[in-house]
Amino acid sequence: MSQKVIIGVMGPGTSATQRDLELASELGQLIAESGWVLLTGGRNQGVMEAASRGAKAAGGLTIGILPGSDRSGVSEFVDVAIVTDLGHARNNVNVLSSDAIVVCGMGLGTASEVALALKQGKRVILLGCDLETQKFWQKLSSLVLIAETPPEAMQKMQNLLSRLLN
Amino acid sequence: MSQKVIIGVMGPGTSATQRDLELASELGQLIAESGWVLLTGGRNQGVMEAASRGAKAAGGLTIGILPGSDRSGVSEFVDVAIVTDLGHARNNVNVLSSDAIVVCGMGLGTASEVALALKQGKRVILLGCDLETQKFWQKLSSLVLIAETPPEAMQKMQNLLSRLLN
Amino acid sequence: MSQKVIIGVMGPGTSATQRDLELASELGQLIAESGWVLLTGGRNQGVMEAASRGAKAAGGLTIGILPGSDRSGVSEFVDVAIVTDLGHARNNVNVLSSDAIVVCGMGLGTASEVALALKQGKRVILLGCDLETQKFWQKLSSLVLIAETPPEAMQKMQNLLSRLLN
Amino acid sequence: MSQKVIIGVMGPGTSATQRDLELASELGQLIAESGWVLLTGGRNQGVMEAASRGAKAAGGLTIGILPGSDRSGVSEFVDVAIVTDLGHARNNVNVLSSDAIVVCGMGLGTASEVALALKQGKRVILLGCDLETQKFWQKLSSLVLIAETPPEAMQKMQNLLSRLLN
């Protein structure tokens, strides 16, 4: 089997905070250094772009799942652009294609991804989210994990994946 | 123009509480009495079925947007079954097709619908949701409305629609 | 069960011929007179609009499955507009939602619908298509039926539906 | 820009002929040798699998766009599995994500991909298809190219891509 491990990193676009971006970039780098493929929403904005930039800096492979009908708006740090023309329904492709999902920051698009992921049995790691956000999702699902730093998120993903793959 | 007003009613399936079901059923009835079309996720469960039952009792027209590749699992109270084969991505069709959305109860599928609706500029009325849920969504969007009873939800929808249509 | 029979009528948009439009309009009328629901791609063009106009003239119920993210471009003869934001992938929703499909004329969008319908076991009636088109599809599937006039298409649908419903 | 060129290879699954498979495998190899990414429908069958096997034998990168809600049925020669849960509507993702499309053999799923591709302005190379099939598609679109051998298809793709990228 040549199949690769895919980690989805999701979070706000234009409304991402500086901290969201820093977490995403460091996480992208760590994912690439682990030999995993990074998957994002593919656009040249916010957490998507920051994570892809981090992964490319470490020589990783980056996949971007785009919402439109062509590659317009794709991040320059995406290697393989998947063009869905699904609009926001592409968020479901993001989560289904990922072995595990890490969220940096919370917006409405991200909330839809967390909900769709948890609904379909995917683990979601909330990285650097506030307490209210953590509580909301933990009340709805037992598949939510919390991390404060990218290395802690990586550690939790390693544990998850070793269980998934064994 | 023969185009009809469509109201989406969403909420948990098998995990719906008795109160969620009662609110949904009364709401479905009021929607039908107003001459509006009811749209739900179409399945024979929970809030979807309760709302459709209420609307049919009042002689309304009911649309069900199904996730699978055929009509299996459709509620007997759905007149027009739309078969999407989109899985949970059909939630985006639910919200985009509705002029306004009312939510009775909160689960993961419902959370994805609320997020997708608000992200795309649709008003969402939270009916009978707890304070924590109200706060979570209101923090993310100014398009959230709160109602405690079906008649109050109807009043808010009337206001919304008169603005949308004028 | 309040579930209605849904007949999909598909064909070219702006490239429809005068004959395609006449066939679609007559067919829409006959479908409505039979008490069936008409489903089309919903836009204000070509075969979609002609069929919807015919159905409304006979007092029928019309459903339009739109490709975009709102109701722009919807035909004025559509009662219930389903907004998918799926682009051309909405063609799969058209065929899956229909109990039987009639095609008036052939273009690329229509060809995708015929292929998707036959692939998923749906019967397709080719109405007024040229011999080359008939042969191409009949070579690929045994589910293709041929009709020269709308009444003949109606007769074939009656036969199909009586088998499906019994 | 780290964005890679993506070539889609499509064709029948279980109904593929021995010749379809040989063409697909050789083509997959030539695509990989050119440094392009191969995209297929991702399953462990027919033209999808043959093309992926050929590309992996030459050390290429292979993407598979799966129809289901998980990776079941994925080819062992797929590196990156994109899980869409779109059923046959994933065919639209296949064509939109590809810079150019080559078809080996013709079935109903493949016909839907050719139609969707041409409808949306994508070039399609028919490789080793019979004359009737060639004529049907050429009558509907001027974007159809014909090739008899994989090297001829590669030559036509090179020409197309040099125009697209300049």
Side-chain angles (χ1 to χ4, degrees), chain B residues 3-4 71 79 83 97 99, chain C residues 3-4 71 79 83 97:
Chain B
Q3 199 175 292
K4 295 178 193 301
R71 290 179 190 156
D79 296 317
V83 177
S97 301
D99 289 289
Chain C
Q3 200 175 291
K4 296 179 192 298
R71 291 179 189 156
D79 294 319
V83 177
S97 301

Side-chain angles (χ1 to χ4, degrees), chain C residues 142-155:
Chain C
S142 61
L143 299 176
V144 178
L145 299 173
I146 308 291
E148 294 307 324
T149 65
E152 189 189 347
M154 289 299 293
Q155 186 56 57

Side-chain angles (χ1 to χ4, degrees), chain D residues 28-156:
Chain D
Q29 190 175 330
L30 293 171
I31 287 168
E33 287 170 358
S34 293
W36 298 335
V37 173
L38 174 72
L39 182 148
T40 71
R43 301 186 66 206
N44 55 1
Q45 290 179 347
V47 161
M48 296 175 268
E49 170 130 315
S52 300
R53 184 194 290 113
K56 288 312 297 174
L61 178 67
T62 56
I63 312 288
I65 311 289
L66 294 167
S69 62
D70 61 27
R71 290 180 189 155
S72 59
V74 67
S75 165
E76 62 181 302
F77 303 106
V78 163
D79 295 317
V80 176
I82 303 298
V83 177
T84 66
D85 203 15
L86 294 173
H88 294 285
R90 74 85 148 78
N91 292 359
N92 201 41
V93 179
N94 294 358
V95 302
L96 288 174
S97 300
S98 300
D99 290 287
I101 291 140
V102 190
V103 158
C104 306
M106 185 60 51
L108 288 165
T110 311
S112 75
E113 287 166 322
V114 173
L116 289 166
L118 297 171
K119 178 76 180 177
Q120 292 168 96
K122 297 275 179 182
R123 296 279 187 157
V124 175
I125 301 176
L126 301 177
L127 174 57
C129 290
D130 64 45
L131 201 65
E132 200 172 38
T133 298
Q134 294 173 12
K135 274 185 171 168
F136 177 78
W137 293 113
Q138 286 186 311
K139 190 175 159 191
L140 288 173
S141 170
S142 61
L143 299 175
V144 178
L145 299 173
I146 308 292
E148 295 306 324
T149 65
E152 189 189 347
M154 289 299 292
Q155 184 57 54
K156 300 212 167 176

